[in-house]
Amino acid sequence: MKKLMLGNEAFARGLYEAGCKVVSSYPGTPSTEITEEVAKYEEVYAEWAPNEKVAMEVAIGASMAGARSFCGMKHVGLNVAADPLYTASYTGVNGGLVIAVADDPGMHSSQNEQDSRHHAAASKVPMLEPSDSQEVKDFVKEAYRISEEYDTPVIVRMSTRVAHSQSVVDVCEREDIPLKEYVKNPQKNVMMPANARGRHVFVEERTKKLIQEAETSILNKIEMNDGQIGVITSGTTYLYAKEALGDSVSYLKLGIVNPLPSYIIRSFCKKFETVYVIEELDDIIETQCKKLGCDVIGKELFGFIGELSQSIIKEKIKGVSTEYTALQTEIPVRPPVMCAGCPHRGVFYSLAKNKITVSGDIGCYTLGAAQPLCAMDTTVCMGASISGLHGFNKARPEKEKTSVAVIGDSTFMHSGMTGLVNIAYNSTNSTVIILDNSITGMTGHQQNPTTGYNLKGDVAAKVDLEALCRALGIERVRVVDPYNLAETEKAILEELAVEAPSVIISRRPCALLKYVKHNPPLKTNEKCKSCKACLKLGCPAISIKGGKACIDHTLCVGCGICKELCKFDAIE
Amino acid sequence: MDTKSIMIVGVGGQGSLLASRIIGHVLLMQGYEVKVSEVHGMSQRGGSVVTYVKYGDKVYSPVVEKGEADLIVSFEQLEAARSLPYLKKGGTIITSTQKLDPMPVITGATKYPEDIFNQFRDLGINFIPVNALQLAEEAGSAKASNVVLMGVVSTKMDIDKEEWLKAIEECVPAKFLELNKKAFELGRECY
Ligand SMILES: Cc1ncc(C[n+]2csc(CCOP(=O)(O)OP(=O)(O)O)c2C)c(N)n1
Ligand code: SF4
Ligand code: SF4
């Protein structure tokens, strides 16, 4: 049966068909749908872990127990999960272990543009890179074969365009793969120095064998055409190259991007006068070609930044560009904004009003950094708000009274807790605001340990944030409703003033959650004096029409915070 | 057949995912190779959203680039203006007349351009303005403007109406089917 499938959906189908039994992941665009889709198959156990390191360790445990297992994450997630990965490379697997990592060239929704192929090379784990949905599914099955045959975890590298493009997939049946026998084997599974030394030797031998696999694998394909130009490429870039250059050049399409084959690359390069290496982000294939003594052209033309495309390739190689028309008028940008009624808005309004220095984090609330609130000073990675604030305050103790950290509930579970322990243990009088909207919002609304539900939608244990913060050593913990601006502001100012570390939990579910009952939309009346105080909230439902404030009834959810701000009773 | 490119543009939350699903479905039913590409994430929080649909005997790249779109379907005027550079020479824009102020306009940092359609006219662009919001409300819900626009699109493509209806049936939950069929009809009739 043929179906149009998102790359991520095809990935889930591949896991299902390959007999995968245990899945543990942490959400992250553009990888999230793999796990959401695979959770729909009853035969597969699937969960959201609190972070990628936990997810990876769960998958490693399941593999050791003999099941085909999986964990998925975005590129930066692999940094968090790198510790278990690098040693799982030594232990190898029992049941096959496949890892999805989704890169985001162009940073459509990421904080950096790192190239995860470096992790594959550094951890000495094979990495496959499909280019469309059918390949995704096929490569996942091949990844399990390689994993079990070579005793190694296997990474499948996705990218935004592969993960979030739908193309046709031929659907097959699930293979029933029984659990492999579990036999205690400390030499292989207990990685203390004496055993790990032996396993490192194994890893180096395995890499040699994997290079042989890469030399003969059907995943590395050569397409010969007339002409004196060869192109070496992989993943979605292969599709851009095919569209731009068609049959005017020959291709070496690499489906295995780690380790790279030597013989094929050398013999391919020998056949042509000119060979281009076209790869997004870093120069990994190019560097390998040059190491092998092949004279190739790559980054000098294509650079290291952003996505490639058919037109970039056409322009750089053929020197032709496509004509187009544009309006003369300047077109205002349309940046993402917090939704109308977003519970985060009230907190950021209070922080902006009081000119507080805000150590930020990653989630919907990062939009608090945008106009008109501009209420965020820093954002680095998940969890860095809390630990960063502690460092900031150690360097500038006088800032304890005017600085806070803001962090979402999912992010706090992911990597905020350890930072909070550090504040209590190494004592700064820091103020931390947990923005508890009862969901992982940014990545499209996933459950997490604070929501009381699991990935399959069943009721689950719910973390008590107040009790948790107290247990971590913070005595001052209070809860506010961010729809109540006065209460929120009072809490922030009081906690900043005290000589003790404190946590404020701003609690109100995300306005987009289905169970949230909204009030009727508000309206402005003739009392509006055009003071524009309400516009400072950055609510997308409020704008100025004919000089007066006006509320869009299709967007407004009646949260009421604009009404609290209006001094003239013009909002009702 | 050469590869054709459609671009669907709008504002996060306007329902462009359903529109691309319907088009993708109907094209697949015609036996074409189809690729539909969208970017999830940040853009969904009220930002600009872009979806590409490509079809033909063979489709390679899933993305549409400047000067390549045969058809642009826009849910909002400013987004239609933003997408213009993607239009192929001689291509068509079908756009809702709806206007949604982006945040820089709301905060007064900049102005919403007033005369987008006049500028399209002056440039000789083939464009079809559709009062999709009003027609959708007539059909029963403002949310159905995406399917109203699909009705207009269906008159510009050489595919039977029955096929479109089948695709809508497959893509829309049963309880909204009647509403969406009506929205589709209203879209077809307005041109
Ligand atoms: C290491 C890492 N994993 C995953 C992500 C993707 N990601 C960005 S924000 C976020 C969670 C946001 O949830 P929450 O903290 O609850 O805030 P909300 O979006 O609900 O406001 C995730 C998973 C990331 N940026 N970094
Ligand atoms: S999805 Fe929820 S948390 Fe995110 S901006 Fe919208 S209302 Fe706020
Ligand atoms: S009540 Fe005011 S702030 Fe809240 S959603 Fe409506 S317009 Fe926006």
Side-chain angles (χ1 to χ4, degrees):
Chain A
M1 193 180 66
K2 287 201 189 302
K3 267 189 82 178
L4 207 51
M5 276 192 181
L6 216 53
N8 283 347
E9 200 183 339
F11 203 119
R13 184 73 202 180
L15 293 172
Y16 169 77
E17 289 178 9
C20 173
K21 284 201 168 69
V22 177
V23 169
S24 184
S25 304
Y26 184 72
T29 314
S31 70
T32 312
E33 299 84 359
I34 302 174
T35 303
E36 287 177 330
E37 289 296 327
V38 84
K40 294 179 184 164
Y41 296 106
E42 266 177 30
E43 297 88 334
V44 185
Y45 168 78
E47 66 178 26
W48 288 129
N51 69 30
E52 292 87 352
K53 175 170 158 17
V54 174
M56 179 81 77
E57 291 156 353
V58 170
I60 291 169
S63 156
M64 284 178 170
R68 286 196 162 182
S69 65
F70 166 77
C71 85
M73 60 201 69
K74 69 183 288 163
H75 60 340
V76 287
L78 195 54
N79 304 339
V80 178
D83 197 10
L85 172 69
Y86 282 51
T87 302
S89 170
Y90 281 33
T91 62
V93 304
N94 184 19
L97 170 55
V98 171
I99 298 151
V101 53
D103 283 6
D104 188 16
M107 291 181 274
H108 296 279
S109 32
S110 301
Q111 69 267 35
N112 78 22
E113 207 172 17
Q114 69 185 51
D115 187 327
S116 59
R117 292 177 297 171
H118 292 294
H119 272 306
S123 65
K124 310 197 178 199
V125 164
M127 177 181 257
L128 313 184
E129 185 174 20
S131 64
D132 64 12
S133 300
Q134 180 67 52
E135 279 194 3
V136 169
K137 201 194 81 168
D138 296 343
F139 281 33
V140 169
K141 293 169 135 178
E142 187 66 1
Y144 275 114
R145 181 191 66 79
I146 294 174
S147 173
E148 288 173 357
E149 192 172 323
Y150 293 89
D151 191 9
T152 178
V154 176
I155 304 174
V156 178
R157 181 192 191 214
M158 301 287 279
S159 69
T160 300
R161 297 301 178 184
V162 179
H164 285 169
S165 294
Q166 301 172 45
S167 56
V168 177
V169 175
D170 212 348
V171 178
C172 316
E173 292 300 312
R174 177 172 167 95
E175 229 182 304
D176 191 27
I177 308 276
L179 278 184
K180 292 219 169 141
E181 194 190 349
Y182 173 71
V183 183
K184 182 170 171 176
N185 184 353
Q187 278 76 29
K188 175 163 153 54
N189 291 331
V190 179
M191 284 302 95
M192 52 191 191
N195 294 340
R197 280 183 204 114
R199 291 304 291 180
H200 189 186
V201 175
F202 165 80
V203 167
E204 297 307 323
E205 286 305 314
R206 180 180 73 199
T207 298
K208 283 185 203 151
K209 289 184 191 145
L210 283 165
I211 293 173
Q212 282 317 304
E213 168 79 32
E215 302 287 6
T216 53
S217 168
I218 46 163
L219 304 188
N220 290 334
K221 274 199 286 214
I222 292 181
E223 274 175 51
M224 289 303 290
N225 290 308
D226 292 341
Q228 273 313 311
I229 300 179
V231 166
I232 305 179
T233 182
S234 72
T236 183
T237 318
Y238 162 75
L239 298 173
Y240 301 149
K242 279 291 280 189
E243 182 142 331
L245 310 170
D247 295 340
S248 66
V249 304
S250 300
Y251 298 89
L252 168 55
K253 175 186 182 296
L254 296 168
I256 303 181
V257 290
N258 188 63
L260 291 167
S262 320
Y263 175 78
I264 302 183
I265 290 180
R266 270 209 203 95
S267 64
F268 182 80
C269 289
K270 267 195 205 126
K271 294 195 177 87
F272 304 98
E273 266 166 25
T274 313
V275 176
Y276 295 99
V277 173
I278 314 183
E279 58 189 322
E280 271 173 342
L281 302 180
D282 292 343
D283 53 353
I284 290 170
I285 302 173
E286 180 179 348
T287 305
Q288 180 64 13
C289 292
K290 289 183 172 158
K291 240 176 152 177
L292 293 170
C294 304
D295 186 19
V296 297
I297 303 170
K299 289 298 162 190
E300 60 210 269
L301 279 189
F302 298 105
F304 293 81
I305 298 168
E307 294 189 281
L308 295 179
S309 68
Q310 59 265 27
S311 14
I312 295 177
I313 295 171
K314 235 185 267 173
E315 197 187 310
K316 300 288 181 193
I317 294 186
K318 288 175 152 178
V320 290
S321 49
T322 320
E323 273 178 50
Y324 62 87
T325 322
L327 294 191
Q328 293 307 313
T329 330
E330 201 188 314
I331 298 174
V333 292
R334 191 185 296 277
V337 291
M338 281 187 257
C339 307
C342 175
H344 300 328
R345 183 170 282 109
V347 172
F348 285 106
Y349 175 78
S350 303
L351 294 172
K353 183 178 161 200
N354 292 287
K355 301 198 169 51
I356 307 293
T357 300
V358 179
S359 179
D361 221 301
I362 305 190
C364 283
Y365 51 93
T366 312
L367 297 169
Q371 294 273 5
L373 291 161
C374 303
M376 199 169 280
D377 290 61
T378 61
T379 298
V380 180
C381 64
M382 291 185 77
S385 58
I386 299 183
S387 14
L389 177 69
H390 176 76
F392 201 92
N393 287 341
K394 281 289 179 198
R396 292 180 174 273
E398 76 281 3
K399 284 299 283 185
E400 282 181 349
K401 298 266 188 279
T402 54
S403 63
V404 300
V406 293
I407 187 165
D409 47 288
S410 185
T411 306
F412 184 68
M413 284 293 113
H414 179 280
S415 46
M417 294 186 279
T418 39
L420 192 61
V421 170
N422 193 42
I423 284 180
Y425 174 53
N426 288 314
S427 70
T428 45
N429 295 327
S430 298
T431 303
V432 173
I433 304 178
I434 300 177
L435 301 162
D436 178 11
N437 62 350
S438 293
I439 204 75
T440 314
M442 185 78 257
T443 41
H445 299 98
Q446 290 76 32
Q447 304 296 343
N448 70 52
T450 69
T451 67
Y453 294 91
N454 64 22
L455 167 58
K456 298 244 181 185
D458 300 324
V459 174
K462 182 176 156 102
V463 167
D464 178 339
L465 280 175
E466 294 90 311
L468 173 62
C469 294
R470 286 196 192 97
L472 295 178
I474 307 293
E475 281 166 21
R476 297 187 65 92
V477 180
R478 64 201 272 184
V479 180
V480 298
D481 175 0
Y483 277 3
N484 186 333
L485 288 182
E487 182 199 7
T488 303
E489 184 174 6
K490 181 164 173 273
I492 293 171
L493 295 179
E494 282 175 7
E495 294 312 320
L496 280 171
V498 295
E499 301 286 340
S502 45
V503 169
I504 302 169
I505 300 171
S506 162
R507 181 166 290 148
R508 171 64 74 171
C510 160
L512 296 194
L513 293 180
K514 288 210 175 72
Y515 66 80
V516 172
K517 295 272 171 290
H518 292 302
N519 295 323
L522 302 190
K523 280 197 193 100
T524 48
N525 59 33
E526 70 298 337
K527 290 185 219 157
C528 173
K529 298 262 189 296
S530 308
C531 73
K532 300 190 180 170
C534 55
L535 287 188
K536 292 197 185 126
L537 286 169
C539 174
I542 314 177
S543 58
I544 296 287
K545 294 265 145 68
K548 302 272 182 192
C550 169
I551 295 179
D552 180 336
H553 70 278
T554 63
L555 291 176
C556 172
V557 296
C559 77
I561 60 171
C562 54
K563 187 176 150 105
E564 289 172 64
L565 277 188
C566 180
K567 290 200 186 82
F568 307 103
D569 279 337
I571 301 178
E572 54 191 9
Chain B
M1 193 196 92
D2 281 351
T3 309
K4 296 259 189 222
S5 301
I6 303 176
M7 207 164 136
I8 303 170
V9 301
V11 178
Q14 279 190 311
S16 58
L17 287 187
L18 176 64
S20 63
R21 207 174 317 142
I22 294 172
I23 299 191
H25 241 82
V26 85
L27 290 167
L28 199 64
M29 282 156 55
Q30 313 311 304
Y32 294 121
E33 174 166 1
V34 182
K35 286 191 178 168
V36 179
S37 179
E38 59 220 12
V39 171
H40 309 188
M42 272 294 199
S43 51
Q44 280 171 323
R45 303 278 167 274
S48 306
V49 243
V50 177
T51 307
Y52 309 120
V53 180
K54 294 181 66 162
Y55 65 103
D57 296 334
K58 183 77 204 151
V59 181
Y60 290 108
S61 167
V63 304
V64 176
E65 294 209 278
K66 288 188 177 148
E68 292 185 349
D70 298 277
L71 174 65
I72 293 177
V73 184
S74 172
F75 289 57
E76 202 271 346
Q77 285 198 31
L78 187 64
E79 297 312 310
R82 195 189 314 284
S83 69
L84 181 63
Y86 288 81
L87 194 68
K88 194 188 250 174
K89 241 192 184 155
T92 304
I93 300 186
I94 296 174
T95 175
S96 168
T97 52
Q98 194 181 355
K99 285 185 181 183
L100 285 171
D101 287 349
M103 198 45 71
V105 171
I106 291 181
T107 60
T110 175
K111 284 211 158 47
Y112 196 106
E114 278 310 323
D115 54 347
I116 291 171
F117 289 169
N118 283 334
Q119 292 192 52
F120 280 3
R121 250 173 236 123
D122 293 346
L123 287 168
I125 307 290
N126 302 328
F127 80 102
I128 305 177
V130 182
N131 196 339
L133 197 57
Q134 195 194 321
L135 293 173
E137 274 170 359
E138 237 172 82
S141 163
K143 292 214 169 86
S145 17
N146 49 4
V147 181
V148 171
L149 288 168
M150 290 305 99
V152 186
V153 170
S154 73
T155 64
K156 300 289 154 199
M157 287 169 77
D158 198 16
I159 298 171
D160 282 351
K161 180 179 151 189
E162 296 315 312
E163 301 275 290
W164 283 93
L165 288 174
K166 248 190 263 166
I168 292 174
E169 263 167 45
E170 296 230 353
C171 299
V172 173
K175 65 173 174 180
F176 299 120
L177 189 58
E178 276 320 302
L179 185 155
N180 280 296
K181 278 184 169 170
K182 192 161 173 211
F184 180 76
E185 288 295 346
L186 288 173
R188 271 184 84 85
E189 283 160 18
C190 80
Y191 276 88

